[in-house]
Each structure stands twice: as C-alpha cells, then as structure tokens.
Amino acid sequence: MEQSAIKRFIEYCECNLDFTILPPSGYSSAPLCALASVFSIGVRYINVKNVINNFLEICECINLQTEISTSEVLDRLGGYTPDKLSDMLHNHQRTDTKPNSILKADAYIQFLKVMQKYKIENCHDIRNSINDISFQNEIRAIRGQTSGLTLEYLFILARVEDYVKVDRYIERFVGTAMNGKSLNKHQ
C-alpha cells in the first residue's frame, strides 16, 4: 500500500473512530465464550446480549466474569432439551435457513459436549486448543457450524493472543476509508 493511501486511512480512522472506548473485557468462562460464539452468527449483538443475560439467570451465574467450567454448565443444563433451553433463553433461532437446520440451543449443547470431550473446561483450555484439528473438525461437524465462524469467535472471545477474524463490517469500513476500493486478503 502506498504512503498516501496509508495516510488517508489513518486520517479516516481518526475522524470516524472513538479511540476512548475500551474493548470489552471478554468472558471468564469457556461456556460463555461458546454461547456467544454460537448465538452471534447472523444476528445483531443485542440479541446475543439478551441470550447471555438469560443464560446467566438459568445457570445462576453472578456476572460475565464468573468462572464456570464446561462440565458445570453441562451438569446444570442436564435436564434441558434443546427446545426447553430455547424457551428459557427466549431464543428459537436456528443455525441456518436450510430445512435440516437445528436450534442454536441444540448446537450449543453439542458444542459444549465436544469441548468436554477434549477437556476444554476454561478459557485457558480454549487458548491451548487453537491448533487441535480434531477438536475443530468435531465442532465443524455440528449442523450449521461447518464454516468455522463459531470457532473463530470462540478463539477471539477467549482472548487468544494475536487472533483476529475478518469481519464484514471491518471490511466495509476499510473499503469506505479507501474510497470504495475492494478489500481483499492480499492488500
């Protein structure tokens, strides 16, 4: 990228971004990272916040910084079918629009079971699983999770160092900043 383009981009950012806003602190538990990952696909963040708040009530967690293990959450959700969990979360979204899609609540329960199988109980365990292809393949085998977006969100929310996901809003922002130029991975 040429120097003048970089300068224009920096000026655009300075005019259009609020650098006083601190990034969210993330979650302190692996199950919350997984919940936000599964329920954030294809929706506005306000919907995810509502699901998280309802989940905190169900699991009797105090706040987002409460540490709760994958096994503890699975124990607490043991009596819930995907339909019942959807009711309790006040969210009946499905993993996609295909006829064979499943409830996001079902995908979440399956996600947790895979995490438990791979002994991923906390955020540290998530960070250590970033190179575990078997774990990632099992998550992608869950209906509606084949793209791997939920895994990308999981790693971001667990604060895997230097891990980012290409986001359509960021792509759009950068494209606008660069006078409508298309943004691709090689620029």
Side-chain angles (χ1 to χ4, degrees):
M1 191 182 292
E2 64 188 62
Q3 282 301 106
S4 62
I6 293 170
K7 185 177 178 183
R8 277 194 322 271
F9 179 70
I10 291 170
E11 288 171 358
Y12 185 84
C13 289
E14 289 172 344
C15 291
N16 292 282
L17 296 175
D18 183 351
F19 291 101
T20 63
I21 298 173
L22 296 174
S25 59
Y27 302 107
S28 291
S29 71
L32 282 174
C33 291
L35 182 77
S37 298
V38 169
F39 280 87
S40 67
I41 304 300
V43 300
R44 295 182 184 267
Y45 187 68
I46 188 69
N47 295 331
V48 180
K49 283 175 60 174
N50 292 336
V51 166
I52 290 169
N53 289 333
N54 294 331
F55 177 81
L56 293 174
E57 285 183 33
I58 293 168
C59 286
E60 299 172 0
C61 295
I62 298 168
N63 60 46
L64 295 176
Q65 301 311 312
T66 301
E67 290 188 41
I68 185 168
S69 72
T70 300
S71 293
E72 285 178 290
V73 169
L74 280 170
D75 285 345
R76 291 182 187 193
L77 297 180
Y80 289 90
T81 64
D83 286 324
K84 177 71 173 168
L85 182 57
S86 290
D87 289 342
M88 297 299 290
L89 293 173
H90 305 289
N91 184 299
H92 292 86
Q93 294 173 331
R94 302 187 86 71
T95 54
D96 57 41
T97 58
K98 295 176 185 167
N100 64 346
S101 67
I102 60 174
L103 290 167
K104 286 186 177 183
D106 190 3
Y108 175 63
I109 292 169
Q110 290 181 47
F111 202 110
L112 290 178
K113 288 178 180 178
V114 173
M115 287 173 56
Q116 186 180 47
K117 175 182 174 182
Y118 284 87
K119 299 182 180 1
I120 299 172
E121 295 289 333
N122 57 49
C123 289
H124 177 74
D125 296 336
I126 291 173
R127 291 189 287 274
N128 288 337
S129 72
I130 192 163
N131 295 315
D132 188 334
I133 302 304
S134 297
F135 163 68
Q136 293 181 30
N137 286 340
E138 283 200 45
I139 293 295
R140 286 185 173 153
I142 299 169
R143 266 194 207 149
Q145 311 307 303
T146 56
S147 73
L149 281 177
T150 52
L151 282 167
E152 290 180 358
Y153 284 131
L154 180 74
F155 296 137
I156 290 168
L157 294 170
R159 297 177 302 280
V160 171
E161 193 170 317
D162 297 330
Y163 194 86
V164 297
K165 174 202 164 294
V166 176
D167 181 275
R168 66 179 171 222
Y169 298 108
I170 293 172
E171 284 182 331
R172 195 176 303 146
F173 178 86
V174 173
T176 301
M178 303 305 294
N179 297 322
K181 291 183 181 176
S182 172
L183 181 67
N184 68 49
K185 292 177 172 90
H186 304 291
Q187 288 180 303

